[in-house]
Every structure is written in structure tokens, then in C-alpha cells.
Amino acid sequence: MGLKTLRDRNRKDTSFDLKAYVERRIAAVNEALDEFLPSVSAKPATIHKAMRYSLFAGGKRMRPLLCVAAAEACGGGMAACLPAACAVECVHTYSLIHDDLPAMDNDDFRRGKPTNHKVFGEGIAVLAGDALLTQAFEILASHEGSKRFAPQTLVLELARASGSLQLIAGQVADLEAEGKALSARSLRFIHERKTSALLCASVRLGGMSANCTPAQLAALTDFGFNVGLAFQVIDDILDVTQSSESLGKTAGKDVAARKATYPSVVGLEKSKKTARTLTEKAYAALEPFKGRSVALEALAHYLLERDR
Ligand code: GRG
């Protein structure tokens, strides 16, 4: 699929009201998260305040949105996939809290607010991350599954995406690569695990919640993998092109930490082209849905064009 087709698709997408779509689904996800999590007054209150502080700090909710949109593309409703949508957001938020710690990226600013450890101290921030990771699996364990997918299949999906072969593997490789010159191939290894794995699992969990067919699951996997990689390439680009205010986190961190990123390894223009190519591949993966995946397409388009 060429760039012209991509532009045509983008034009077609303008008839879809993404803003209204996103607002309704984020509201449902936030309400469900609020119900799944222990209340702020549950003892010890500090840990529940810390968990909720980062979870409700204003993230884009891309993983839950992709999860819900995937379920809908497979003919499912939002209610059935909410436990999966909330679980992926809890894993994501845990990873951000831990990534921001002084022992890792040592960041002061996230989602437009001081980072968890800046507000609650390092010990509580470590525990808030741990508690959100555990909470994710408690939430997902409440999922009823679907005809083709038993609840434990969904739990396994999230465990694999967050474990030492995927999310953690990406973070370890990222830490070990600091200050070193990386090949584009090694950088891709990191990005596939650090970012793409959880986005891909989010989409797959949505499909599984909606009892997707094997062909639909394969299409969603292809979509999720490519959109996940595009997401990280764009994140790398935004780190050098946007301000801290617009990102809600410290801009220029990758350069300061001498981290290998797409722009530093292949250059800014080639990075932009790579993000477009990956997004085109994601669009192409949706062909089997024959027009029932408008929300997924619109989200992929938004991710490509986003400025935060
Ligand atoms: C297991 C500690 C640990 C880390 C895993 C996810 C991760 C690796 C580190 C977090 C920092 C980082 C740059 C991750 C790459 C994925 C990414 C771009 C995260 C930011 O996601 P957004 O933009 O954030 O969706 P919001 O705040 O909008 O939810």
C-alpha cells in the first residue's frame, strides 16, 4: 500500500468521530478502573493513593482504547472486554512508575505531573508499581473469557507480554544499551519488546474477549505489532521535536541519556518514513475486517499524527 492510499484512507477516516468515540470509551475505562481498585481510604491509604495518583494522572489510555476497538471490530461489546482493557492500563502504569525511578530513567515529570516517587518517595513508588502489576492480574482473573478463549488464556497472554521475554526484556536491553552505539536491528529488538508487545497484547485481548476467529486474531496480531512499533518510533521522534509541556514528560531525555533512538540511529526523516510504513502495514492488516475496524484505523492514524 503506497502513501497515496494512506492519504486516501486518512481522508475516509474524517467521517468517523474519533473524539466522541475516545471520550465515551475512556470514561467507561476510568469508571471501571475506579471500581476495580481499592478505594483511597482502604488501609494503608498511602499505597492506594499512590496507585491512583499515577493511574488517574491523565494518560492517553491508548492500550485500553485499542483493546476495546479490537473487541468491537470482532463484533463484541465494551462491557466484556473492560477487565482486559483495565488490566493492560494497570501494567502500563506500573511500567511507567518503575521506569521513572532514579534506578532507571530518573524522571521528575510524567503525564504532566511530578512522578510517583517525587510525590510519595522511592519506596512507595516501587510498591505502587508492584501493586498495580498484581492488580492487573487480579482484574484479568475476573474476566469470564469467551467461547474460544478460556480466562487462563487471557491471563497467559498478559503474563507473556509483561514478562522477562517481552516488556522486561526490552527494558533490560534498553538499560544495557545506554551510551552504546546500536544497530537499527538491536534498536528494533528493544522496541518490539518494550513497547510493541503490550500494545499487541492489548489488541489481542480485545479480540479474545469478543470470541474472535483464528483469522481475526492473526489480523489483530499483525495490526498490533505494527502499530506498536510505529508508536515507539513516533515516541522517539516526539522526544526530539516536542517540548516537555506538550509531552507532559521531560523532552530530550533520550539524547541527554545518550540513548539510541530511531532518529539517532537512522535520522529524523527516515524515522518519519518508518512510522508511516509501519502504520500502512497496520492498516493493511485490517483488510479482513472489511470496514468493521474503522475505530482501529482511526486510532492508528491518530497515533501517527499525534503530538504528545
Ligand atoms: C518494566 C520498568 C519496566 C519498564 C518497561 C514500558 C517501559 C519498559 C518503560 C516506560 C517508558 C517508555 C519510554 C516506554 C516505551 C513505551 C512508551 C512510549 C510509553 C509511553 O506510553 P504512552 O505515550 O503514555 O501511551 P501515557 O502516559 O499516555 O499512557
Side-chain angles (χ1 to χ4, degrees), residues 107-139:
D107 230 310
D108 294 350
F109 196 50
R110 170 75 68 181
R111 292 180 162 172
K113 291 186 167 181
T115 42
N116 200 290
H117 65 271
K118 284 275 155 195
V119 178
F120 297 95
E122 282 179 44
I124 293 294
V126 169
L127 292 168
D130 292 344
L132 282 169
L133 178 60
T134 313
Q135 185 73 56
F137 285 94
E138 186 178 334
I139 295 171

Side-chain angles (χ1 to χ4, degrees), residues 3 14 22 153 172 197 222 267:
L3 280 181
T14 54
V22 160
T153 306
V172 170
D222 195 6

Side-chain angles (χ1 to χ4, degrees), residues 58-63 89 92 94-96 98-100 104-105 110-111 162 167-168 170-171 194-195 199 231-232 235 249 259 306 308:
K60 293 184 288 299
R61 301 281 193 249
M62 283 321 304
R63 292 147 193 85
E89 185 64 23
H92 170 57
Y94 123 77
S95 78
L96 299 180
H98 281 193
D99 186 63
D100 290 334
M104 298 219 196
D105 261 13
R110 170 75 68 181
R111 292 180 162 172
S162 339
L167 187 71
I168 305 274
Q171 182 75 348
K194 194 175 86 168
T195 310
L199 271 113
F231 185 88
Q232 184 59 57
D235 197 72
K249 59 183 181 182
K259 265 200 177 170
R306 72 195 169 106
R308 76 175 185 111

Side-chain angles (χ1 to χ4, degrees), residues 105 232 235-236 239 250-261:
D105 261 13
Q232 184 59 57
D235 197 72
D236 284 0
D239 185 66
T250 318
K253 270 291 292 217
D254 296 337
V255 178
R258 296 199 303 131
K259 265 200 177 170
T261 62

